[in-house]
Amino acid sequence: MKRIKQVCSRVYQVGGNGLSNPEDCCVYMVDGGSASAVIDAGAGASAGRILENIANAGFELDAIKYIIVTHGHIDHIGGLPVWARQLKGQIVAHELDLPAVAQGIPRLTAAGWYGVDYQGVNVDIVLREPMQPLQVGDLSLNFVHTPGHTPGSIAVYLDVEGQRFLFGQDIHGPFNPEWGSDLKQWRGSMQKLLELKADILCEGHFGIYTPAARVESYIKSYLERMG
Ligand SMILES: [Zn+2]
Ligand SMILES: [Zn+2]
């Protein structure tokens, strides 16, 4: 059974429902040739399975230079402790979600929802700017701080093969004051994402949306729903 989904020649979905475990968020890999990056780590139980998916598809695990964390919820970070031990890559997360990602505060990670015991990991690269670039092999990734779902939520975009890919995990919410969710900030974040005019949205739980008009209507539908 094929356990990796090609989005384009440089972008793959390597984990998530149907590929690893239904509890996992959609996990993506960006292949920059000499180096690659994975985006989010799933809930934890299938952390090894996701690495198998990548290796079985012919990719070198040692080429994974960055492990990018879009926000500190357990379905996105549960696999980090295993990956921190098994991969050479550096963990990248936003400063404002470090209490979840690095300290593992259960109220913030929602680990209890999944019955996962998460202790936190060392974050190697801490994002602090509203926008920040990162070179992955021959690809330029860009981080956008998109607070709302959590204070340190980020989206990632890159331009490849004439198309703009946007990785937007949990941009639909939900919102919970316990996590520090902020609807006003979220509306501003969604406007930022709309301005990017992405052609392809790699979403965190529902998969892949394209073309650009569908990406736009996806984001706008949530903006309208939340008033
Ligand atoms: Zn979330
Ligand atoms: Zn999620």
Side-chain angles (χ1 to χ4, degrees), residues 75-76 170 205:
D75 48 327
H76 301 256
D170 292 13
H205 292 277

Side-chain angles (χ1 to χ4, degrees), residues 29-217:
M29 184 179 75
V30 173
D31 176 20
S34 59
S36 61
V38 282
I39 300 174
D40 284 341
S46 293
R49 159 72 69 78
I50 296 169
L51 297 186
E52 276 171 34
N53 291 351
I54 296 171
N56 289 343
F59 294 100
E60 287 288 340
L61 293 180
D62 281 354
I64 299 173
K65 209 170 165 191
Y66 301 106
I67 300 158
I68 296 166
V69 181
T70 63
H71 66 290
H73 284 156
I74 197 67
D75 48 327
H76 301 256
I77 63 172
L80 290 177
V82 172
W83 287 9
R85 284 195 298 275
Q86 298 192 2
L87 298 176
K88 292 179 177 162
Q90 294 187 294
I91 296 177
V92 186
H94 194 277
E95 182 180 30
L96 295 178
D97 268 19
L98 291 187
V101 181
Q103 295 173 38
I105 295 173
R107 174 177 57 84
L108 301 173
T109 63
W113 289 19
Y114 291 80
V116 176
D117 179 31
Y118 177 83
Q119 300 289 339
V121 293
N122 184 49
V123 174
D124 303 290
I125 300 177
V126 177
L127 303 172
R128 294 191 167 90
E129 306 300 324
M131 295 269 243
Q132 213 166 313
L134 180 80
Q135 194 68 27
V136 179
D138 61 0
L139 297 177
S140 303
L141 269 62
N142 300 278
F143 297 111
V144 189
H145 183 210
T146 50
H149 177 56
T150 68
S153 289
I154 56 161
V156 184
Y157 73 92
L158 81 153
D159 297 325
V160 61
E161 294 179 345
Q163 297 207 288
R164 176 160 288 181
F165 288 76
L166 173 64
F167 299 89
Q169 312 281 59
D170 292 13
I171 59 177
H172 54 276
F175 305 93
N176 185 335
E178 288 207 338
W179 307 332
S181 297
D182 186 318
L183 267 175
K184 188 165 176 269
Q185 287 188 337
W186 174 78
R187 283 190 200 95
S189 296
M190 292 308 101
Q191 287 304 334
K192 271 195 229 173
L193 295 185
L194 285 170
E195 283 162 22
L196 292 174
K197 299 196 179 300
D199 299 293
I200 298 170
L201 170 66
C202 296
E203 204 279 335
H205 292 277
F206 308 125
I208 292 148
Y209 293 79
T210 190
R214 240 185 117 214
V215 177
E216 186 181 328
S217 63

